[in-house]
Amino acid sequence: MTIQHGHAASPLEAGSDLRARAAAAAAIAADHAEAVDREARFPAEAVEALRAERLLGAGIPIALGGEGATTEDLAEIAYALGRACASTAMIFAMHQTKVACIVRHGAGEPWCEGVMRRIGAEQLLMASSTTEGQGGGNVRASSAAIEPDGGSVTLERAATVISYGAEADGIVTVARRAADAAASDQVLCVFLKEDYTLERLSGWETLGMRGTCSAGFRLRARARPEQVLAARYQEIHGQTMTPVSHILWSSAWAGIAAGAVERAQAFTRTAARGAGGQAPPGAVHYARAVSSLRQARALIAQAIDLFAEAGEDPSRLSALDVQTTLTMLKVEVSELAVAAVSSALRANGLAGYRQDGAFSVGRALRDILSAPVMIHNDRILANLSTLTLMSPVAASLRD
C-alpha cells in the first residue's frame, strides 16, 4: 500500500500513508491479541503484517530503502498497535529504537549503511539486549566485553532478557569496549542471525506482555570489527536510545490505555442508555481515565516536539532540562497509563473485571502493569535525582 503520485510525498502525505498502513497491521494484531496473550506466544501474524506494510523499515531513510518515518510517525504507529495488541506494540517500539541507534550513529559507516539497506529491503526484525547478569536494568554498565579474535571480534554475555530474541533476525547489544575497559566504557554492537547463537537460560511466564517472549539467553557472537559502532555508547544512550525508547514505549503504553478507555466509554454509554440517560456510578472513574490518558498524550507530544527541536545538536540533547524531560517521560507516562487503565476497570465494574465480554479490561491491566517495572521507575528516579541535585530550583514559572 503506497502513495501513487507523480511527485515526492510531502511529510503530511507520507505520515498519512504510514498511519493507514499501521491501521491495517493493527487490525491483524487485534485479531490475534487474545491468542498471543493466552498462549504466551510471539505475535507472528502481527509482525508479518508489519513486514507486509513495510513498517519494520519505517525508520530507515528513504535513500537507504526505508520509509523515512519521523519519530512522531513511529510514535503514532506504536500508539495504534498498543490499542490492538500490547506485545506487538512493544516489539515495534524496541525494534525501532535499535534501528534509530543504527541510523543516527552508523551513518557514513559502510557496514552499518549496508545493514540499514537490508532492514529496509528484507524488513529484518532487530531485537534488543541491554540487560545482563545481576545488573538487571542498569544499562550504563556492562560485564561482558568485546574480544579480538584474529580478524573478527567475539562476545559472550549472559542476557537476563532478550525480548523476542529467538524470533529476531538480528540483535543489537551493548558490551564493554574491551576486557580491560571499565564497566561504563561501553559500545553498541549489531549482530545478524548468522553471527550468533542463543542458549536459553530462563523462560517468560508473566502477568502481561506475554507475547514479547522476553526470555533470558546466553548470547555467543562472532562478527566483523565494523559491527561494533564507532560512536561511544554514552553518546548513543543519551542522544538516541533514551529519548527514542521513552517516546515509543510511552506511545505504546498510551495506546494500551486508550483501548481500555474506549471500552470504559462503551460501557458507560450502554449503562446510561439502560438507565434512561442517567450516568452509572462508575462514570466518575471513566472521567478520571480520560483525564489520565489526556495527560499522557500531552507529555508524549511535548517530548516529541522537544526531541525534534533538539535535532542533531548534541549539546542541546545533553542539556539538563532536555535530559530531565525525556528521561521522566517514561516514569510519568507509565504511571498515568496504569492510572487510566485502573480507572477504566473501576468504571466498568464487574464487567471490566471479567475476562470475557466486550467490556473486559483484564488483559490491558496485566499488560500495562509492566510499564513502571520495565527498567524500574525507582532506578530512573534515583539516577535522575543524582543528576539534578546540584541544579538550582526554578525561581519563576518561566525559568
Side-chain angles (χ1 to χ4, degrees):
M1 184 176 176
T2 55
I3 300 173
Q4 301 297 322
H5 292 299
H7 58 82
S10 70
L12 180 60
E13 290 171 328
S16 298
D17 177 56
L18 285 170
R19 293 181 194 186
R21 288 149 64 184
I28 293 173
D31 287 342
H32 298 277
E34 184 177 341
V36 165
D37 174 70
R38 182 178 61 250
E39 300 164 21
R41 67 169 177 83
F42 180 70
E45 300 88 351
V47 172
E48 282 308 306
L50 292 173
R51 284 195 171 99
E53 298 292 343
R54 296 189 57 77
L55 294 176
L56 292 183
I60 301 293
I62 293 173
L64 295 174
E67 308 301 306
T70 65
T71 303
E72 182 171 5
D73 293 330
L74 299 175
E76 289 286 1
I77 296 170
Y79 182 79
L81 293 173
R83 299 184 70 167
C85 172
S87 293
T88 301
M90 192 52 62
I91 288 169
F92 178 82
M94 289 188 281
H95 162 80
Q96 293 295 350
T97 297
K98 297 309 164 187
V99 169
C101 291
I102 299 170
V103 169
R104 288 169 59 87
H105 301 277
E109 297 184 23
W111 189 88
C112 286
E113 293 197 346
V115 83
M116 289 183 227
R117 292 183 187 278
R118 285 195 62 184
I119 293 170
E122 302 171 40
Q123 295 294 295
L124 301 182
L125 177 64
M126 306 302 290
S128 169
S129 177
T130 54
T131 56
E132 179 183 20
Q134 299 302 312
N138 183 11
V139 298
R140 300 192 182 200
S142 293
S143 298
I146 291 291
E147 302 269 7
D149 186 5
S152 302
V153 294
T154 63
L155 174 67
E156 180 174 337
R157 75 193 303 267
T160 313
V161 166
I162 304 182
S163 295
Y164 57 97
E167 293 80 11
D169 301 303
I171 293 175
V172 181
T173 186
V174 65
R176 274 193 298 148
R177 184 178 298 277
D180 59 352
S184 59
D185 185 5
Q186 299 164 285
V187 290
L188 196 69
C189 315
V190 182
F191 300 127
L192 298 177
K193 203 154 195 173
E194 58 266 27
D195 301 322
Y196 60 84
T197 60
L198 294 174
E199 174 191 348
R200 191 170 176 127
L201 300 176
S202 62
W204 183 247
E205 182 59 39
T206 53
L207 282 172
M209 289 293 180
R210 291 164 60 79
T212 63
C213 300
S214 302
F217 295 93
R218 186 173 302 280
L219 169 68
R220 294 185 177 93
R222 181 183 181 87
R224 297 162 58 174
E226 53 264 42
Q227 290 176 240
V228 179
L229 271 64
R232 294 173 62 241
Y233 177 70
Q234 185 177 4
E235 296 173 357
I236 298 172
H237 184 271
Q239 296 172 18
T240 302
M241 190 174 294
T242 293
V244 174
S245 66
H246 287 197
I247 288 169
L248 298 188
W249 293 347
S250 295
S251 299
W253 296 329
I256 297 168
V261 171
E262 188 172 39
R263 291 192 175 205
Q265 182 186 64
F267 175 83
T268 303
R269 287 176 172 174
T270 300
R273 283 196 297 270
Q278 182 176 355
V284 64
H285 297 295
Y286 167 66
R288 287 173 176 162
V290 170
S291 177
S292 295
L293 177 59
R294 283 178 175 165
Q295 290 178 65
R297 291 171 59 243
L299 288 171
I300 296 166
Q302 177 192 29
I304 290 170
D305 291 343
L306 185 61
F307 185 55
E309 289 167 8
E312 302 295 327
D313 183 357
S315 63
R316 181 64 180 133
L317 282 170
S318 299
L320 184 59
D321 61 331
V322 175
Q323 284 287 306
T324 300
T325 299
L326 295 174
T327 299
M328 280 300 294
L329 178 70
K330 187 270 178 187
V331 175
E332 293 171 332
V333 172
S334 67
E335 294 177 354
L336 284 166
V338 170
V341 178
S342 298
S343 294
L345 172 67
R346 296 184 69 180
N348 290 13
L350 186 59
Y353 187 72
R354 292 175 62 105
Q355 289 286 72
D356 56 354
F359 305 122
S360 173
V361 295
R363 174 158 51 86
L365 183 62
R366 288 186 290 104
D367 286 331
I368 205 62
L369 287 175
S370 70
V373 298
M374 175 184 160
I375 304 186
H376 207 295
N377 282 357
D378 290 350
R379 183 192 295 274
I380 294 173
L381 289 168
N383 290 337
L384 193 61
S385 66
T386 301
L387 179 65
T388 58
L389 193 58
M390 301 307 293
S391 177
V393 177
S396 71
L397 291 174
R398 293 290 184 179
D399 282 350

